[in-house]
Amino acid sequence: MEIMKDYLSNVKLPIIALVSLFFIHAVLFTAIDLFTDLALDQTANVFVLGGINLAFMLIYWTVIAWAGLRTARAVRGGAFDGAIGGAITAVVGGFFIRVIAILLLISKLPILIAYSPELSGIAGFFGVLFELLLIIVGFFIDLIGGAFFGLLGGVVQGRKILAALVQKGEAKVGLLHEEKPVVKEARIVKLGKKKAKGRK
């Protein structure tokens, strides 16, 4: 139970980061759509929006790797613990993001239907259906992807722990080497005192 608490307490911040990234992404795309003419230039539209999507995707999976690193550090574990932390973060974060996306889509439906009752109503229905399908499919994608990237974070943390243990071991060996001459000198001093007493 304590281990489970460690996992959950260390994935809270990464999950919040993922949901925040979703909102930033949505606001950025809305601003581009409303205040720029990118939609008129198809080539620029593809490159700019594609680049933004790629950047956010890389940040998204980096956050999941960070969650794996945090979890492995908390439980003093390695790759396996990182994979669990990454999977929890990706699944829970992905679920929240898709639910929010569905709610936003539903909130837009009355406006879309007001402009075009027939087409917008059908498009909205299929849009909501597609988002619901994404929740099911996305669960498995997030589970596998989260475990993989969390594992990478766990490997990084595991190497840090290993490096720290090696340094401690080297430090102990160094101290032992330094202590040996001191022991020898103490023995020599004792022998010298015994000889001096024998002469008296």
Side-chain angles (χ1 to χ4, degrees), residues 61 64-65 82-83 85-88 90-91 141-151:
W61 292 112
I64 291 169
I88 293 171
V91 168
I141 294 170
D142 290 335
L143 184 66
I144 296 166
F148 175 74
F149 283 94
L151 183 141

Side-chain angles (χ1 to χ4, degrees), residues 5 26 33 55 57 60 75 77 79 82 86 89 115 173 179 183 198-199:
K5 283 182 182 177
D33 189 39
M57 187 178 68
Y60 183 93
V75 299
T89 303
Y115 282 99
V173 170
E179 284 172 3
V183 172
R199 285 175 185 176

Side-chain angles (χ1 to χ4, degrees), residues 122-159:
I122 295 167
F125 171 76
F126 281 108
V128 172
L129 194 66
F130 179 71
E131 290 292 338
L132 288 170
L133 185 65
L134 272 182
I135 289 178
I136 300 167
V137 176
F139 171 82
F140 296 101
I141 294 170
D142 290 335
L143 184 66
I144 296 166
F148 175 74
F149 283 94
L151 183 141
L152 294 180
V155 167
V156 171
Q157 180 57 27
R159 287 187 176 181

Side-chain angles (χ1 to χ4, degrees), residues 37-49:
D37 297 327
L38 275 176
L40 301 175
D41 188 345
Q42 201 64 31
T43 306
N45 191 16
V46 169
F47 278 103
V48 172
L49 298 185

Side-chain angles (χ1 to χ4, degrees), residues 36-197:
T36 67
D37 297 327
L38 275 176
L40 301 175
D41 188 345
Q42 201 64 31
T43 306
N45 191 16
V46 169
F47 278 103
V48 172
L49 298 185
I52 292 170
N53 279 329
L54 180 62
F56 271 92
M57 187 178 68
L58 292 173
I59 296 168
Y60 183 93
W61 292 112
T62 303
V63 169
I64 291 169
W66 170 53
L69 189 146
R70 278 172 60 90
T71 306
R73 183 187 298 162
V75 299
R76 303 293 295 172
F80 179 74
D81 300 290
I84 293 173
I88 293 171
T89 303
V91 168
V92 176
F95 176 77
F96 279 126
I97 287 168
R98 290 183 185 94
V99 168
I100 293 166
I102 290 172
L103 293 175
L104 289 174
L105 185 60
I106 292 170
S107 69
K108 289 178 184 176
L109 284 179
I111 301 167
L112 293 171
I113 291 168
Y115 282 99
S116 178
E118 293 178 3
L119 293 175
S120 297
I122 295 167
F125 171 76
F126 281 108
V128 172
L129 194 66
F130 179 71
E131 290 292 338
L132 288 170
L133 185 65
L134 272 182
I135 289 178
I136 300 167
V137 176
F139 171 82
F140 296 101
I141 294 170
D142 290 335
L143 184 66
I144 296 166
F148 175 74
F149 283 94
L151 183 141
L152 294 180
V155 167
V156 171
Q157 180 57 27
R159 287 187 176 181
K160 285 182 179 179
I161 292 170
L162 185 62
L165 289 173
V166 169
Q167 284 180 354
K168 282 183 182 178
E170 287 176 351
K172 284 181 181 179
V173 170
L175 285 171
L176 287 171
H177 281 302
E178 288 176 5
E179 284 172 3
K180 283 181 180 178
V182 175
V183 172
K184 286 181 180 177
E185 286 175 9
R187 285 177 182 172
I188 291 165
V189 170
K190 282 181 181 179
L191 286 170
K193 284 181 180 178
K194 284 180 182 179
K195 286 180 180 179
K197 282 180 182 179

